[in-house]
Amino acid sequence: MRSILTIILNDLKIYSSQRGNLVGLLVIPVLLTVVIGWSLGRIGGGGPTRLRVDLIDLDGSDMSAQLIEELRAANDALVLCPPDNDADDYCRLEDEPLDMDRAIERARSGRTSALIAIPAGYAAALNDFQTVTIDYYSRSDPMQPGPVLQSLNAVLQRTSSASMTKGVSSALLDNLTNAVTLPALDGETRDSFLNTIYHRALQLSTYQPPAVLFRVVDANEDESGIDNGFNQSAPGMGSLYVMFTVLGGMAVLLRERRQWTLQRLMALPLSRAQILGAKIGVYFTLGMIQFFIVFAVGAAFGMDFGSSPPALLATMAAFVLCITALTFALAPWIKSEGQANGLVLLLSLSLAPLGGAWWPLEIVPEFMQTIGHLSPVAWAMDAFQDLIWYDGGFTEVIPEIAVLMAAAAVLFIIGIRSFKYD
Amino acid sequence: MQTMVEARNLRKTYKRADGSTIEAVKGVDLDILQGEIFSLLGPNGAGKTTTISMISGLVAPTEGDAEIGGYSITRQPMEAKRLMGFVPQEIALYPELSARQNLSFFGRMYGLGGKSLSRRVDELLEFVDLADRQSDRIDTFSGGMKRRVNLAAGLLNSPPLIYMDEPTVGIDPQSRRRILDTVKMLRDEQDMTVLYTTHLMEEAQELSNRVGIMDHGEIIAMGTQAELTQQVGEEDRLEIMTGAQNVGEALIGSMQQEIAGVTRVLFNPPEQIGDNGSESTPARLTVFAKRGRTALPQIIQTLDAAGIDIQSVEVREPDLEAVFLALTGRALRD
Ligand SMILES: Nc1ncnc2c1ncn2[C@@H]1O[C@H](COP(=O)(O)OP(=O)(O)OP(=O)(O)O)[C@@H](O)[C@H]1O
Ligand SMILES: [Mg+2]
């Protein structure tokens, strides 16, 4: 055991004596984690402060104009296109007319947050106390209404309750004129009376606190919880750089064989298990150090570590072990250091995005999520998510850890069997 | 005298990348006695490194076994390895570490530590005369200095037996001299047993108590230098460098028959060497003759008459080179 530790310490000393290694282990991962963490925070944390919303008014009535005004008043972040377009063409209409088809396409492609279409006959329907449907197109999940839908709902709620009040008043008026034998009202007086009621009701409900609340949150002010970009970037960059660092061991093993230091070790009174154990220990240790470095950056930026440090450590260890095993399984087949370095790049840069190290796997199509789970990164990221985002404990990450450990076991068997002593 | 290394029927077959196999060592028997310098002498690719790798436990023999001080290298590798030091043909050191760090690390691997480790490292740095450069990184050392540290690393555990695989390759004459003196010192002052490989006849001749001559994976002759040279008899060897002309079979035949004392004549035509064939070895005629000096005038006369251009003539007493030539028909250095 003492000789294993001596070898590990010696190899770490050699590793750190090479300046390039320190840049790879420390400088680049730290910079990338900061940049990506900060960027993800900007995008996912709060969202932009202005929302592009297409609006098509097929009614063109006073009532629809009023609805639009209400909508504007309800949320000043909405930029209604085309009416509220600015000189910079924030609406990106490029001076083309906005018809229904184009607007639907814009909403579908995500260029606008939503499309609100007021149908022809909106005012007439409201006047006759009939149901009217306002079409709302958006890519966002209707179960989790975004700010646009929330605003629209609030406005429509008020409009329909005002309309209902008007309807109730109208029936009341009919009953009253019949029951109390008041002189029959002429049409114009009646309409004017009901409209006054409608507007009064609308006014009252506007001053009532709305049923649905929303606000646009500035990413910079919010550094806690799900919104912190480092909760994604630190585990993601950590996994990526663990792969760079640990898989890099393939080239080092090859170099040690070429410079005969591995052979000198083998001529010493050491068992093969000791030598192999030490070499595995070296890359496992380097991988863990890499994770700690990146997570330290996350911690400095307020990253959340969940509530189960042992489970987090176990996840890190399982992932590093899996990548270490992959290194030893591949090493015997590698012929040159150039080949090894190429393979490190190829594997790291494909397994990382595939497994969701750069962006959460939730946002990719389902079949890509399935394929992604061929990458050990996906399992690690799943576990990190359970721990960091959803505050899970050991039980939640046991399946992921089990998968990583099983893969590690299989790869180690391959690696140890084909390790060349000659 | 006690036997230190006893190898029996060592064989190693390597698989090449294309699937074919190469028999690098073809059944070697070897006995190295306690306190002697034993040299394995052979040209490049003869199988010296492969043999040393098998008896040091680095490479598993395809067949056969070796006992080191009574311990089988295949069945009791730990015990056997504790008895040996190893100086590989390559500079097996960490280039990023200093001489001292390298020696300390390998010393720790032998279980040394604390004061005894640093004392041993001091001793060895002194021994190979590098105490003043001990803190410099290996990759800043000259070839000769690296070789000396490489040698010191094989001596850390003060082993009774040491293997040295071509320890003088690629260094200047002074460094070579130093290493050869060191090897003799190990035997004469520390009573160590040394297995030394080389492709240089002079080194084997200077150092060895006994020599094994190796070629194509086999030991083709073994014994003291006197025993070996006896095999080629009392013949002198005349090395005659000739010009570009070919020495034909007819001329060789007539020399063997007509000149008194000549027993055998070999002709090596010029060979292209170097990366792009830019250089060539001179053509060489080797004549074995009893009392070579007496036969010399007549040999020169015969060659002259045949129009052969003679550039130099050398008369050699029987030596290891002659033995190799006699056994293989090739010169060692080719
Ligand atoms: N790992 C290997 N795989 C395949 N062939 C090998 C291997 N090691 C050695 N050989 C072959 O075995 C033969 C003997 O090689 P070896 O290194 O033992 O020779 P050597 O006498 O030490 O030569 P040199 O003086 O060049 O060091 C050579 O033909 C070599 O190409
Ligand atoms: Mg060799």
Side-chain angles (χ1 to χ4, degrees):
Chain A
M1 197 60 212
R2 223 191 69 183
S3 12
I4 293 185
L5 280 179
T6 309
I7 296 177
I8 293 177
L9 285 179
N10 188 61
D11 281 10
L12 292 180
K13 181 154 81 184
I14 292 164
Y15 187 89
S16 58
S17 74
Q18 291 166 325
R19 206 157 298 155
N21 282 344
L22 289 190
V23 173
L25 186 76
L26 204 64
V27 182
I28 297 174
V30 166
L31 283 179
L32 266 181
T33 310
V34 170
V35 168
I36 292 186
W38 194 71
S39 319
L40 284 176
R42 291 289 292 188
I43 300 163
T49 47
R50 293 211 291 175
L51 296 168
R52 190 179 299 120
V53 177
D54 277 350
L55 186 112
I56 293 196
D57 183 1
L58 297 171
D59 197 38
S61 60
D62 285 353
M63 290 281 230
S64 63
Q66 193 172 19
L67 177 74
I68 293 168
E69 198 46 53
E70 292 275 329
L71 210 51
R72 251 182 221 129
N75 186 347
D76 54 15
L78 303 188
V79 178
L80 301 177
C81 301
D84 293 348
N85 201 7
D86 59 16
D88 297 336
D89 191 24
Y90 180 77
C91 286
R92 298 204 210 148
L93 289 169
E94 287 148 355
D95 286 332
E96 304 270 335
L98 182 70
D99 60 12
M100 198 62 189
D101 286 346
R102 185 175 175 211
I104 291 174
E105 179 49 39
R106 276 156 63 91
R108 201 164 271 158
S109 67
R111 255 172 299 159
T112 56
S113 301
L115 159 64
I116 298 170
I118 305 172
Y122 169 74
L126 272 188
N127 272 330
D128 293 339
F129 318 121
Q130 274 166 9
T131 311
V132 60
T133 309
I134 292 195
D135 289 330
Y136 176 81
Y137 297 82
S138 175
R139 292 216 307 190
S140 65
D141 182 356
M143 303 307 290
Q144 292 174 336
V148 182
L149 189 55
Q150 289 184 26
S151 310
L152 185 63
N153 279 339
V155 169
L156 289 180
Q157 220 166 31
R158 295 201 294 258
T159 311
S160 35
S161 58
S163 166
M164 201 164 72
T165 312
K166 185 178 164 189
V168 171
S169 305
S170 165
L172 186 71
L173 213 55
D174 287 341
N175 277 339
L176 270 179
T177 43
N178 282 344
V180 193
T181 59
L182 287 173
L185 295 168
D186 63 302
E188 204 179 302
T189 317
R190 185 191 157 90
D191 276 352
S192 143
F193 176 70
L194 287 177
N195 276 338
T196 311
I197 298 246
Y198 174 80
H199 282 120
R200 182 66 190 144
L202 191 59
Q203 222 173 11
L204 282 175
S205 63
T206 303
Y207 293 121
Q208 295 247 317
V212 197
L213 275 175
F214 66 90
R215 75 194 160 108
V216 174
V217 187
D218 193 317
N220 289 332
E221 289 169 11
D222 191 343
E223 284 185 351
S224 67
I226 297 174
D227 296 331
N228 190 315
F230 286 87
N231 291 351
Q232 159 74 18
S233 89
M237 287 300 112
S239 310
L240 172 64
Y241 275 89
V242 163
M243 288 196 288
F244 273 136
T245 302
V246 175
L247 289 173
M250 290 188 293
V252 182
L253 285 172
L254 216 59
R255 189 161 66 96
E256 286 200 58
R257 210 181 276 282
R258 181 171 49 74
Q259 78 189 14
W260 267 68
T261 41
L262 193 65
Q263 285 90 326
R264 199 194 270 283
L265 282 184
M266 295 197 273
L268 293 171
L270 294 171
S271 71
R272 294 178 166 195
Q274 279 174 307
I275 295 173
L276 205 55
K279 292 294 165 191
I280 289 170
V282 170
Y283 293 99
F284 179 77
T285 311
L286 275 175
M288 290 305 278
I289 290 175
Q290 182 71 77
F291 252 142
F292 281 122
I293 289 173
V294 173
F295 278 3
V297 177
F301 285 87
M303 172 191 166
D304 193 353
F305 287 99
S307 50
S308 175
L312 190 69
L313 266 179
T315 305
M316 291 157 68
F319 178 71
V320 174
L321 210 58
C322 183
I323 299 300
T324 308
L326 182 60
T327 306
F328 279 80
L330 292 174
W333 317 103
I334 306 291
K335 294 282 175 290
S336 72
E337 283 167 53
Q339 223 177 36
N341 293 329
L343 194 61
V344 172
L345 276 181
L346 182 78
L347 280 175
S348 309
L349 293 181
S350 58
L351 291 181
L354 199 63
W358 292 359
W359 46 76
L361 270 192
E362 280 76 60
I363 68 167
V364 305
E366 198 149 329
F367 79 96
M368 282 303 288
Q369 296 187 18
T370 312
I371 294 176
H373 280 79
L374 287 176
S375 163
V377 176
W379 297 93
M381 290 305 287
D382 283 354
F384 285 132
Q385 222 170 60
D386 287 347
L387 297 170
I388 294 174
W389 297 20
Y390 303 118
D391 240 6
F394 237 117
T395 38
E396 275 76 20
V397 294
I398 281 175
E400 284 93 348
I401 290 181
V403 168
L404 290 171
M405 296 297 278
V410 170
L411 292 168
F412 268 134
I413 290 172
I414 296 174
I416 290 169
R417 282 200 167 178
S418 42
F419 189 82
K420 290 197 195 98
Y421 294 93
D422 284 5
Chain B
M1 219 185 287
Q2 218 180 325
T3 309
M4 199 66 201
V5 178
E6 191 179 319
R8 289 291 171 268
N9 191 30
L10 282 178
R11 266 175 212 283
K12 183 69 194 181
T13 311
Y14 283 116
K15 274 202 189 63
R16 286 220 201 90
D18 61 7
S20 66
T21 58
I22 172 168
E23 227 185 338
V25 174
K26 311 171 179 166
V28 159
D29 293 329
L30 205 56
D31 292 277
I32 301 172
L33 306 179
Q34 205 270 316
E36 75 171 343
I37 296 179
F38 184 98
S39 291
L40 268 185
L41 174 66
N44 293 136
K48 306 182 295 292
T49 299
T50 308
T51 304
I52 263 198
S53 297
M54 285 191 283
I55 60 177
S56 59
L58 256 188
V59 163
T62 310
E63 215 184 299
D65 197 2
E67 281 186 4
I68 316 297
Y71 297 109
S72 156
I73 190 69
T74 55
R75 281 170 286 113
Q76 299 151 288
M78 293 292 204
E79 289 82 355
K81 284 174 178 177
R82 264 189 263 279
L83 298 176
M84 63 174 79
F86 184 36
V87 182
Q89 187 171 353
E90 313 292 323
I91 308 288
L93 300 167
Y94 298 104
E96 303 86 354
L97 300 184
S98 71
R100 189 176 194 94
Q101 284 172 327
N102 266 288
L103 294 179
S104 301
F105 168 67
F106 290 114
R108 262 184 225 111
M109 300 314 299
Y110 278 114
L112 298 175
K115 282 227 177 64
S116 64
L117 173 66
S118 71
R119 210 177 313 120
R120 185 67 186 146
V121 171
D122 285 337
E123 251 170 50
L124 287 172
L125 284 167
E126 206 61 57
F127 185 64
V128 296
D129 203 10
L130 281 170
D132 53 334
R133 296 291 302 269
Q134 57 174 289
S135 308
D136 294 349
R137 279 165 60 125
I138 293 293
D139 53 11
T140 67
F141 279 16
S142 73
M145 288 157 72
K146 287 180 192 168
R147 286 267 162 218
R148 272 138 66 194
V149 183
N150 200 36
L151 193 149
L155 294 168
L156 278 158
N157 58 334
S158 319
L161 166 70
I162 187 158
Y163 300 144
M164 299 189 188
D165 194 2
E166 307 211 32
T168 59
V169 165
I171 58 178
D172 59 282
Q174 277 121 312
S175 297
R176 173 193 301 273
R177 183 75 260 140
R178 227 186 173 113
I179 287 186
L180 293 180
D181 289 343
T182 307
V183 175
K184 281 190 279 190
M185 212 146 75
L186 290 174
R187 173 192 59 190
D188 299 338
E189 293 172 17
Q190 303 187 21
D191 198 27
M192 280 176 69
T193 309
V194 181
L195 170 60
Y196 189 100
T197 79
T198 178
H199 61 271
L200 298 173
M201 194 250 327
E202 296 84 355
E203 288 192 356
Q205 221 152 262
E206 174 179 344
L207 294 173
S208 333
N209 302 86
R210 289 191 312 132
V211 180
I213 298 181
M214 224 180 157
D215 191 38
H216 294 309
E218 288 173 297
I219 292 190
I220 52 176
M222 180 153 62
T224 63
Q225 290 181 54
E227 285 164 359
L228 288 171
T229 45
Q230 218 120 66
Q231 289 188 8
V232 285
E234 298 294 293
E235 291 174 344
D236 291 327
R237 181 165 50 102
L238 288 81
E239 298 275 13
I240 304 164
M241 300 300 170
T242 64
Q245 306 95 329
N246 210 20
V247 179
E249 291 289 328
L251 184 56
I252 290 176
S254 72
M255 281 169 78
Q256 279 171 352
Q257 277 156 28
E258 287 163 25
I259 304 173
V262 171
T263 54
R264 204 145 81 97
V265 180
L266 294 169
F267 178 66
N268 290 76
E271 265 180 67
Q272 305 290 296
I273 56 168
D275 290 340
N276 41 17
S278 53
E279 293 169 66
S280 63
T281 59
R284 186 174 53 215
L285 196 64
T286 310
V287 181
F288 293 93
K290 305 203 178 76
R291 293 177 308 282
R293 274 166 238 279
T294 324
L296 188 59
Q298 213 186 338
I299 292 171
I300 292 176
Q301 220 171 28
T302 311
L303 289 173
D304 236 7
I308 305 290
D309 179 22
I310 297 175
Q311 289 174 352
S312 71
V313 179
E314 219 180 309
V315 182
R316 296 256 187 124
E317 313 275 304
D319 61 12
L320 295 175
E321 181 82 42
V323 177
F324 190 83
L325 249 172
L327 292 173
T328 67
R330 288 178 290 122
L332 242 182
R333 50 197 84 230
D334 291 348

